[in-house]
Amino acid sequence: RKEARAQGGLLRGREFLMKDLYSFHLDEEDLENFYLKIWKAYNNVYKRVGLKTLVAEAGGGDFTKQYTHEFQVLNSAGEDTVHYCNKCEFAQNKEVFKIENHKDCKGEILNAKAIEVGNIFRLGTRYSDAFNLKVKLESGQESKVVMGSYGIGITRIIATLVEEYSDERGIIWPKSVAPYKAHFINLRKNKDKEFKKFVTLYEKLNKDADEILFDDRADKSAGEKFAESDILGIPLRVVCGEKTGSKLEIKERGNQKLKLVSYKEIEKNLAS
């Protein structure tokens, strides 16, 4: 798209991937029931990928006069400012915030920068009126169609995960969304018995799905391989080298603790 405010790396770029959904209903009650189902489904999506969201009321802009709802992740890299209660579920975008809307709760209202990762709209008959979209009922009468609109920013989720899960070394992907389960790194200079065992394990685990990244480059030092592994952020690093003997060295991304384990233990953990 011709984005006039391209900024923040992947957060607002000229290219984006979106999951869009539109619903069509005979009346407001049916729309409301479906709206709440999507609300719940979206919350489940964000929870499963590892994002904690606030559902904030927001204005409808040119789309609707009703409140819309934004799924916001509190993060200093965000473009929005959200006012929210530290005890109840009250949350509003700064653009529509009114303190008097916070009722029946003694919690404190806080505000913070946030990243919008999705939204849901009750469109009403705005667009069905514009297109003269009607449906004929069993009675023979015509009825206006009531609409809803819903969207999840897929590339926005990826960018938000990077903002939420990273350190000075690079990305730390949550296991639920990591591009690979493990990063295999070979440090053995000779293709000996242990190297062949390592390759065999990789091929076995990767037989049905491409879930292991294998680094057997001969022109890179151990330090370079480890640094690049940290940047990529794959959850588990598995190293085969002269110092590991007949075992493998593993390290979880984001944890500096190293551990030597058997081939069988690696296979058991990654095959599950």
Side-chain angles (χ1 to χ4, degrees), residues 96-130:
V96 300
F97 173 64
K98 293 181 180 179
I99 188 65
E100 57 268 25
N101 289 336
H102 181 240
K103 302 174 182 178
D104 304 321
C105 178
K106 296 182 180 179
E108 181 183 0
I109 295 294
L110 308 174
N111 69 82
K113 287 290 185 180
I115 302 171
E116 182 186 351
V117 291
N119 50 48
I120 51 179
F121 290 73
R122 299 181 185 94
L123 295 176
T125 61
R126 168 72 185 272
Y127 292 97
S128 51
D129 284 344

Side-chain angles (χ1 to χ4, degrees), residues 14-269:
R14 292 186 179 276
E15 176 182 282
F16 69 99
L17 188 63
M18 192 91 178
K19 182 216 70 69
D20 278 332
L21 169 68
Y22 297 90
S23 63
F24 303 83
H25 310 269
L26 294 180
D27 52 45
E28 296 285 349
E29 181 181 357
D30 191 53
L31 166 62
E32 188 64 20
N33 289 335
F34 188 76
Y35 191 86
L36 295 177
K37 286 181 180 179
I38 298 301
W39 183 322
K40 183 179 179 180
Y42 276 22
N43 271 330
N44 289 338
V45 168
Y46 298 122
K47 184 177 180 179
R48 288 176 66 182
V49 301
L51 292 176
K52 183 179 180 180
T53 54
L54 289 175
V55 183
E57 290 182 330
D62 296 330
F63 302 105
T64 178
K65 294 180 180 179
Q66 297 188 56
Y67 276 134
T68 64
H69 292 93
E70 299 171 339
F71 295 83
Q72 297 275 7
V73 176
L74 299 183
N75 189 288
S76 59
E79 296 178 317
D80 294 332
T81 298
V82 173
H83 295 261
Y84 64 98
C85 177
N86 64 352
K87 286 189 177 181
C88 70
E89 295 182 352
F90 174 84
Q92 286 190 326
N93 190 297
K94 179 185 71 173
E95 297 174 355
V96 300
F97 173 64
K98 293 181 180 179
I99 188 65
E100 57 268 25
N101 289 336
H102 181 240
K103 302 174 182 178
D104 304 321
C105 178
K106 296 182 180 179
E108 181 183 0
I109 295 294
L110 308 174
N111 69 82
K113 287 290 185 180
I115 302 171
E116 182 186 351
V117 291
N119 50 48
I120 51 179
F121 290 73
R122 299 181 185 94
L123 295 176
T125 61
R126 168 72 185 272
Y127 292 97
S128 51
D129 284 344
F131 286 95
N132 194 30
L133 177 62
K134 297 178 180 179
V135 63
K136 184 171 287 188
L137 304 177
E138 290 182 358
S139 64
Q141 293 182 319
E142 287 189 335
S143 176
K144 290 184 177 181
V145 174
V146 182
M147 293 177 60
S149 174
Y150 322 85
I152 288 180
I154 298 174
T155 43
R156 178 68 65 89
I157 284 179
I158 295 172
T160 305
L161 285 167
V162 173
E163 294 292 341
E164 287 282 289
Y165 298 99
S166 58
D167 59 17
E168 68 279 1
R169 291 182 174 87
I171 304 169
I172 307 174
W173 289 115
K175 291 181 180 179
S176 60
V177 295
Y180 297 94
K181 283 185 176 181
H183 192 178
F184 278 22
I185 298 178
N186 175 59
L187 298 182
R188 289 183 176 272
K189 295 179 181 179
N190 299 314
K191 294 184 177 181
D192 56 10
K193 181 179 70 173
E194 292 301 325
F195 170 78
K196 291 177 181 177
K197 281 173 59 180
F198 196 45
V199 172
T200 299
L201 177 62
Y202 161 74
E203 291 175 343
K204 182 178 181 180
L205 292 172
N206 247 23
K207 183 178 180 181
D208 298 322
D210 189 20
E211 295 185 325
I212 312 294
L213 180 64
F214 194 94
D215 185 352
D216 63 346
R217 295 173 296 172
D219 61 335
K220 297 292 182 179
S221 68
E224 289 176 301
K225 290 184 177 183
F226 293 162
E228 291 179 7
S229 181
D230 283 341
I231 290 171
L232 293 175
I234 298 168
L236 189 68
R237 189 182 79 190
V238 181
V239 177
C240 176
E242 274 78 11
K243 294 181 180 179
T244 64
S246 62
K247 293 188 175 182
L248 298 171
E249 178 191 273
I250 65 170
K251 184 180 85 69
E252 293 182 356
R253 180 65 181 92
N255 187 340
Q256 296 308 307
K257 186 177 179 180
L258 302 175
K259 187 167 63 171
L260 286 176
V261 301
S262 68
Y263 278 77
K264 287 185 178 180
E265 191 174 347
I266 289 286
E267 184 177 351
K268 182 180 178 181
N269 289 339

